[in-house]
Amino acid sequence: FTNPSVVSPGVYNLGAVIDPNNAVADSDEYNNQAIEPVSPDGTDAILDWNSVFLNASETQGKLDAANGVTLTEDTVPGEAPPIQAHDAAILSIAQYEAINAISAINGGESPYLDGSITPPEGASAEAAAVGAAYQVLTTLFPEQAATFELQRQESLAEINDSESAESSGFDFGVQVANN
């Protein structure tokens, strides 16, 4: 998969639908579509999950519209730009803190965490970024949790750390996001 220069790096969902009107009879009419997350070369957990966030923010507007949410004095379908910026900041700070706290073991600093949580020795920083992003997005957009679970699996599969490093890193990222 080659990333064209006009597309921002990150993760995208590649979808295919075969026989959308079920014109061809087969034994399972529900297996005519597939969706697979793809991440072109040159991306990392931060770029991937930023794309996931932008897609989730857009999708929320479509979900809200499908559920009858309309623009009124009290409701806005999807995410209004100030809310989207706020949510993007929450995502970025959680990932930053998770990675920084793991780097602090090696002499770095984690300026915002108050020391109440510390990363386990050997935790994967990239898995921590995945854990933080996963927790933030499932909290902000609970209706899309299944999509985030697929991305979590894809992101962790791309990390080349040990299983224990990934697991402890992911769990630590979730803990940071909840802090």
Side-chain angles (χ1 to χ4, degrees):
F1 180 72
T2 303
N3 185 12
S5 63
V6 295
V7 177
S8 66
V11 68
Y12 293 90
N13 291 314
L14 181 61
V17 177
I18 308 298
D19 190 24
N21 298 322
N22 294 324
V24 178
D26 63 60
S27 62
D28 184 359
E29 292 292 346
Y30 297 101
N31 69 349
N32 296 340
Q33 60 187 358
I35 190 163
E36 185 70 30
V38 292
S39 178
D41 292 339
T43 66
D44 58 31
I46 302 296
L47 292 173
D48 284 352
W49 283 89
N50 281 341
S51 291
V52 170
F53 165 73
L54 292 172
N55 290 334
S57 184
E58 179 182 343
T59 299
Q60 193 61 44
K62 293 174 184 173
L63 289 173
D64 287 350
N67 290 327
V69 176
T70 58
L71 181 61
T72 69
E73 190 175 300
D74 300 318
T75 62
V76 177
E79 285 207 308
I83 302 301
Q84 186 180 36
H86 175 264
D87 291 349
I90 292 170
L91 172 65
S92 295
I93 290 170
Q95 290 180 307
Y96 172 82
E97 284 303 315
I99 291 171
N100 242 20
I102 291 173
S103 299
I105 293 173
N106 301 318
E109 292 184 18
S110 186
Y112 299 110
L113 290 179
D114 61 7
S116 62
I117 59 173
T118 56
E121 193 69 37
S124 166
E126 192 165 6
V130 172
Y134 174 82
Q135 186 62 27
V136 166
L137 294 184
T138 55
T139 301
L140 293 174
F141 305 106
E143 294 173 302
Q144 300 180 56
T147 299
F148 304 141
E149 177 58 26
L150 289 173
Q151 182 57 45
R152 181 193 70 79
Q153 293 171 15
E154 180 75 16
S155 292
L156 293 176
E158 292 177 358
I159 298 172
N160 293 323
D161 292 327
S162 72
E163 189 174 321
S164 65
E166 287 180 22
S167 178
S168 62
F170 180 85
D171 291 345
F172 178 71
V174 169
Q175 187 179 16
V176 169
N178 285 329
N179 189 20

